[in-house]
Amino acid sequence: MAYRAPVEDIIFTLKHGAGFAKARADGLYQELGDDDLNAVLGEAGRFASQVLAPLNASGDRHGTLFRDGEVTMPPGWKEAYRDWAAGGWNGVAAPTEWGGQGLPHAVNAACIEMWNSAAMAFGLGPVLTMAGVDALAAFGAEELKKAYLPKLVSGEWMGTMELTEPQAGSDVGALRTRAERAHDGSYRIAGSKIFITYGEHDLTENIVHFVLARIAGAPDGTKGLSLFLIPKFLPGPNGRLGVRNDLRANRIEHKLGLHASPTCHMIYGDHGDCVGYLIGQENRGMAAMFTMMNEARLAVGLQGVAIAETATQQAIAYARERRQGRLHPSLPRVRGREEEEASADNGPTESVPIIAHMDVRRMLMTMRALTRAARAICLATAVALDRSHLAPDGDARKAAHERAALLTPVAKAFSTDIGTEVASLGIQVHGGTGFIEETGAAQHYRDSRIAQIYEGTNGIQAIDLVTRKVPLNGGAAVGGYIEELRRTVDAVRAANDPAFGATGERLAEAADSLAQATEWTLAALAVKPDAALAGATTYLRLFAAAAGGCMLADEALAAARHGGTSGDGADRAGRIAIARFFAENLAVQAPALARMITEGADAVLMADAGIGAPL
Ligand SMILES: Cc1cc2nc3c(=O)[nH]c(=O)nc-3n(C[C@H](O)[C@H](O)[C@H](O)COP(=O)(O)OP(=O)(O)OC[C@H]3O[C@@H](n4cnc5c(N)ncnc54)[C@H](O)[C@@H]3O)c2cc1C
């Protein structure tokens, strides 16, 4: 089944779950009217559904071809990329002074979801270029910006992001790629990087590598890292390409999924003449790289949402067609449209579409609710990022910066975890057919898996949340956020609408559980950090259960006020149903998660389970 970009859905979540409407009421986004928003996202949705989605399965089958250091992309990808870049999509949120459209990050985030739903291997490449643009614009010398930003913003050239080496994965500070100052102010780079996404390809004539390396004599660890821009071709006169730089791709990897995204082993300085240019200051590379990584982490979170959306659409379509079994005559049941159609067409003894079976409905509801919650969390992160740039006063910008910092690891890890969970449920809904490649359900599952690993594994995201983000501002950043969640709970209760069921109660418990686990974690960090770390991944899940549940409730409340009908983004009954399902079936796990955090750590630390003692 073909992907259909859920543009109205995304816009509604952006406005009412993620805080875009509130930000606009506070004076941000004034230049972007509803018509503009609908037009931009509508056109992005059309391009994603009509141009990119048809390339997804063929890209997976063909993969990329490596020969003599060159990579050939699958058929049709070069043309699609050319049209995509010509449409200005690479520069949606890039600064206007470098040729970008200067639109909010939140709008770009919505676009990124759609590119990745259509074809994740396609959507991944530009994300790295966009991240490079941000770092270069923020930290680069003027001359470097002039030489590279216009072509990176337009998409005429693509970028990469390069940290990983065999001995330096999560431990970035262990990397060994070296840089030496040259007389002309540039640097000579020597070393190699592994697993580099789009390190070599034929989509663009030049590729700009953003590489972390250590200058001779620099301190050990991350404090001694510097960020370099290393072009495949040095720019020549009049905007033409100059000489080939001393770098090459040595091989590409054979992978579980994402076959159309070339993952390259890169070698720098075979002949001692790989030219690189410093971005920012020497030994301050991590600051610039964090600009890239935060942007890329949100984008990877959006990949999780993207895959979950596609998998859900496909599973619903399949469940409406596939007929198996009969309804048990004695079962009291809520008749859905499909079930009624089934009975009318075939009589009560005929087999029914599997969507009529409660267990299939449970899977589909779980898929939809997780997808919507993750989308809201990712878009809220993007809105916070926009606020951190656009808010009129310094205090508001600082608060928004902290909010974005708090939400980024949750957006990345929760969304990619549920991406794989939802893709797995998608296969389950298909039964055996889902395990067969032709369906496409299997590709979603294979493609989704890497998003939990790259851009900092989800374990590292959880550690970042617990050890750096929760303690922000003495815990005030997270404390303020939990207070906001409680205001949503109060609003649900005040609505006094029976359609919400136990939503208010379950979300109140989730917010209380998060507050309790937060207090415990902050205390544990000081006296028994191992215990806090043992619960980090669970804490992130608990955070997402409370935050996602409240965002879905915000959407439902907005839809109830709006009084929308099925078919438009507001869809009052649908929004309430999803919010209620999430609260009663998913957020309800929050007290148990809190207990795992506060009581389960000792068992994680026990030495006698046969996996060896903690070191
Ligand atoms: C398809 C693909 C594309 C990629 N693209 C890029 C790219 O473009 N650029 C780039 O630089 N890299 C890229 N990577 C590399 C990727 O970012 C790393 O694989 C990832 O950061 C994890 O590093 P690692 O593989 O060395 O795993 P390790 O760091 O060895 O981790 C193994 C396990 O140990 C856990 N772990 C490690 N350290 C800790 C710790 N301190 N505390 C708790 N748990 C820990 C991890 O969470 C993980 O579960 C890509 C990888 C793949 C497979």
Side-chain angles (χ1 to χ4, degrees), residues 128 161-164 168-171 194-197 255 258 263 450 453-457 459-460 463:
L128 302 168
M161 176 173 170
E162 308 195 13
L163 301 89
T164 308
S170 303
D171 186 6
I194 59 166
F195 299 162
I196 300 308
T197 296
K255 310 193 293 287
L258 224 56
T263 305
I450 184 57
I453 296 169
Y454 59 25
E455 276 316 320
T457 64
I460 296 294
I463 292 169

Side-chain angles (χ1 to χ4, degrees), residues 230-234 243-248 273-276:
I230 310 177
K232 177 176 168 185
F233 287 96
L234 299 167
V243 294
R244 179 80 152 84
N245 207 353
D246 178 15
L247 64 92
R248 67 189 166 90
D273 198 23
C274 176
V275 179

